[in-house]
Amino acid sequence: MKAYMLVRAVIHDREKFVNGYGAEAAKLVEKFGGKYLVRAPGAIPLEGIDDQQNSVVISEWPSKEAAQDFWNSDEYQEIKKLREDIAECKVLVIEADAIT
């Protein structure tokens, strides 16, 4: 069953985030079999989120295990350090059948 990783981020330094962390993470997502469906700033909070600087990333994975393998990999742990102090992220993974 496919899985989806959902990220809500508040980015404090967009240029550094996109050109550093974002570029490196994208290479690793592909290596682990994931693909981006959405990578966009400007999400409008409707409920439960006070911050106005919301970005959203949604990626699709072959399975929940593939997404977790990416997330827990030593390679990602190094890349993740590139977003320290420049972004606050909330991350979820969910399995779901395709919507028809």
Side-chain angles (χ1 to χ4, degrees):
M1 182 181 303
K2 287 187 179 182
Y4 300 88
M5 185 178 293
L6 303 108
V7 180
R8 180 264 178 162
V10 175
I11 300 170
H12 305 295
D13 185 334
R14 181 159 298 282
E15 183 177 330
K16 196 171 186 180
F17 184 89
V18 170
N19 296 323
Y21 169 81
E24 294 302 313
K27 295 175 199 172
L28 199 58
V29 164
E30 185 176 329
K31 178 181 174 181
F32 276 83
K35 68 177 183 178
Y36 289 112
L37 302 178
V38 174
R39 289 195 295 181
I44 300 168
L46 298 178
E47 184 175 340
I49 297 172
D50 293 330
D51 202 301
Q52 295 296 312
Q53 297 181 26
N54 293 285
S55 293
V56 173
V57 176
I58 301 172
S59 54
E60 180 181 271
W61 299 83
S63 66
K64 181 173 59 174
E65 291 76 22
Q68 290 175 301
D69 287 346
F70 158 80
W71 188 261
N72 294 319
S73 71
D74 291 339
E75 294 162 291
Y76 181 67
Q77 296 313 305
E78 286 302 309
I79 291 169
K80 190 175 173 182
K81 291 176 185 177
L82 297 173
R83 66 174 165 88
E84 288 179 3
D85 300 323
I86 62 169
E88 300 165 37
C89 299
K90 307 284 189 206
V91 184
L92 298 167
V93 172
I94 187 167
E95 285 184 312
D97 290 323
I99 299 172
T100 55

